[in-house]
Amino acid sequence: MKFSDRAMNVEPSATVKVSNTAKAMIRKGIDVINLGIGEPDFTTPQLIADAAIKAIKSGKTSFYTPASGLPQLKEAIAERIKKDYGVIYPIDQISVTNGAKMALYVLMQALVDPGVEVLLPRPSWVSYKQQVLLAGGKPVIVETGDDFKITTDGLDDAVNHNTKVLVINSPQNPTGTIYSKEELEAIGNWAVLHNVILIADDIYGKLVYNQNQFYSLVQINDRIAASTILVNGVSKAYSMTGWRIGYVAGAPELISKVNSILSHTTGNPATVSQYAAIAALESDQSEVETMRQAFEQRLNTIYPLVEKIPGFKLRAKPEGAFYLFPDVSAAIQLAGVQSSGELVDRLLQEAHVAVVDGAAFGMPGYLRMSYATSLEDLSTAVERITAFMNQFLEKQVSGGIGIETD
Ligand SMILES: Cc1ncc(COP(=O)(O)O)c(C=O)c1O
């Protein structure tokens, strides 16, 4: 069978792959701790599940909805955006998708032609690059500074007459970095000046810790908001990854194109999930706050422990999302492996802890560790990784070789 160039070139999602391997090992009875997956460990709050059950019992969920989602859900989304951001989107400017992942995919399909360049920060989430390639476009990497953030200098280096889109994800996967209001203003003004469309992936916007402040690009000013397409969803904040509800908010003409593509691809997201999402968005958000606090506690507990793992170095404390992204170049040297990918494999096979290779996010030499799991599992995982690294340290001490391992 001969496959399309598209299919030949697409890389499987590294995060999904590592997680599947970990799950397969768990099924075989191996006690693996999975820090590879980007999903909260909490079950969906009861009030959301109850709304879904009620919708099923009423018979409403047996049927198709408009491909772009129920008007009632779009209203709930518009109301949530208004409450959270103070920005108003009429419902013809909103489209509901099968997760934020599909929202981003359909946007690339709607905006990108062959030769069109899309600016992506390094590091950034695994799927952006593949989605640009699937649309025939060219992903162009914008280098970040020590704080993992892009600046207008980096953007100046990357822009040319083919540049059309810039993706900003704050809080950022895999680093947990949050852009300040001033930084967003500078990036937004740059985009307006260069006629570049901004995609604001705000999927972690409610998961912000330790008094840090999150702003969306759409909140900065009207000109920047007009150049920005907002992407969000219920997966991370409401512990609803399995329900697959995301959304896009943007100009009516864009949404109309998005809707046409959706009408030929996914059709509507599962009707039952849409009713669940209405309950999530219209709820008093106290469940979100409870889960946010749990993540914050995990971050504050785990961060100092990960810092002490031999060969692991954290550049800065994450401010949001639920990932740590340590530089493991010293650990690679210490363990005598060739790459972060090899270190990831050995951690899984020998220490039974699943993490993701930083290379998947454009940064080999780093690992992504999710802390969206129980404190108990997190402590055990860190103990296992520490023990795994210590064996090399001990060998070096007995061999008399010194190494910098902070
Ligand atoms: C940065 C980022 N954007 C979008 C998504 C997609 O989320 P979902 O499709 O579950 O809504 C993820 C999920 O891992 C993510 O990390």
Side-chain angles (χ1 to χ4, degrees):
M1 194 181 289
K2 192 175 176 323
F3 297 108
S4 64
D5 290 347
R6 230 176 2 264
M8 291 305 287
N9 292 332
V10 70
E11 287 170 14
S13 163
T15 49
V16 173
K17 200 168 131 201
V18 76
S19 192
N20 286 347
T21 312
K23 283 178 182 167
M25 288 171 77
I26 293 166
R27 273 199 303 278
K28 279 192 201 152
I30 305 169
D31 167 30
V32 171
I33 299 180
N34 189 359
L35 309 187
I37 189 83
E39 82 179 332
D41 57 325
F42 305 110
T43 50
T44 304
Q46 196 58 45
L47 77 99
I48 300 171
D50 286 345
I53 292 165
K54 196 172 153 208
I56 292 174
K57 286 193 171 154
S58 76
K60 290 189 285 197
T61 58
S62 307
F63 306 103
Y64 290 135
T65 71
S68 64
L70 287 162
Q72 196 190 340
L73 174 53
K74 293 182 189 176
E75 271 156 22
I77 292 168
E79 194 54 31
R80 174 84 357 243
I81 300 174
K82 190 170 140 203
K83 279 194 181 126
D84 289 348
Y85 295 164
V87 180
I88 291 171
Y89 287 92
I91 65 165
D92 66 341
Q93 292 188 226
I94 293 171
S95 187
V96 184
T97 54
N98 287 57
K101 189 177 268 189
M102 188 63 198
L104 290 155
Y105 178 83
V106 77
L107 282 177
M108 296 308 170
Q109 293 294 318
L111 296 170
V112 175
D113 278 321
V116 162
E117 298 191 7
V118 177
L119 302 179
L120 303 175
R122 187 199 313 277
S124 56
W125 182 50
V126 292
S127 294
Y128 298 138
K129 178 178 164 197
Q130 299 303 320
Q131 292 183 344
V132 174
L133 290 171
L134 283 167
K138 184 175 168 199
V140 173
I141 302 304
V142 185
E143 299 299 342
T144 53
D146 278 348
D147 55 1
F148 294 121
K149 295 181 195 178
I150 59 166
T151 62
T152 53
D153 286 345
L155 290 168
D156 283 339
D157 290 342
V159 73
N160 66 42
H161 61 277
N162 293 321
T163 309
K164 185 165 179 190
V165 181
L166 163 63
V167 181
I168 294 289
N169 172 219
S170 174
Q172 178 172 266
N173 175 5
T175 61
T177 311
I178 295 180
Y179 285 86
S180 70
K181 200 173 180 183
E182 293 71 31
E183 288 161 343
L184 289 177
E185 188 171 7
I187 292 168
N189 286 337
W190 180 93
V192 171
L193 185 72
H194 290 84
N195 208 12
V196 167
I197 299 166
L198 291 155
I199 295 180
D201 179 351
D202 288 3
I203 194 83
Y204 297 101
K206 284 187 179 283
L207 301 178
V208 175
Y209 315 119
N210 301 315
Q211 280 78 52
N212 283 295
Q213 275 278 325
F214 160 74
Y215 293 94
S216 173
L217 270 165
V218 300
Q219 290 177 286
I220 305 300
N221 64 45
D222 288 349
R223 260 175 10 131
I224 294 174
S227 298
T228 302
I229 305 164
L230 176 63
V231 172
N232 207 333
V234 295
S235 288
K236 315 286 180 176
Y238 301 91
S239 241
M240 290 180 71
T241 46
W243 299 80
R244 312 306 305 127
I245 296 290
Y247 61 83
V248 189
E253 58 277 19
L254 167 79
I255 295 301
S256 147
K257 297 293 174 213
V258 161
N259 293 352
S260 298
I261 298 172
L262 291 175
S263 72
H264 294 294
T265 50
T266 57
N268 65 276
T271 307
V272 62
S273 298
Q274 295 191 56
Y275 282 103
I278 294 170
L281 296 164
E282 287 181 347
S283 70
D284 67 5
Q285 311 296 291
S286 57
E287 302 272 8
V288 179
E289 177 55 14
T290 306
M291 292 189 277
R292 189 202 66 76
Q293 283 176 14
F295 290 130
E296 183 174 83
Q297 192 198 4
R298 291 166 183 188
L299 168 65
N300 292 344
T301 309
I302 207 73
Y303 177 78
L305 302 179
V306 171
E307 268 197 312
K308 289 201 192 90
I309 301 175
F312 281 48
K313 190 174 181 150
L314 286 156
R315 280 200 206 167
K317 189 167 177 180
E319 300 163 317
F322 38 59
Y323 309 104
L324 297 174
F325 197 59
D327 174 348
V328 291
S329 40
I332 291 169
Q333 210 190 331
L334 185 60
V337 293
Q338 297 303 310
S339 63
S340 45
E342 205 183 319
L343 186 64
V344 165
D345 288 344
R346 292 208 37 197
L347 284 172
L348 182 57
Q349 297 305 331
E350 295 172 39
H352 294 166
V353 179
V355 293
V356 188
D357 182 4
F361 305 90
M363 285 190 91
Y366 287 74
L367 300 184
R368 190 192 76 173
M369 308 166 73
S370 161
Y371 55 86
T373 190
S374 72
L375 269 175
E376 197 189 337
D377 274 0
L378 285 170
S379 319
T380 312
V382 173
E383 274 165 26
R384 287 183 189 180
I385 301 174
T386 307
F388 174 82
M389 290 311 303
N390 272 341
Q391 60 178 322
F392 304 108
L393 210 53
E394 279 152 20
K395 271 189 211 148
Q396 292 222 329
V397 171
S398 59
I401 309 160
I403 189 166
E404 184 71 47
T405 60
D406 64 340

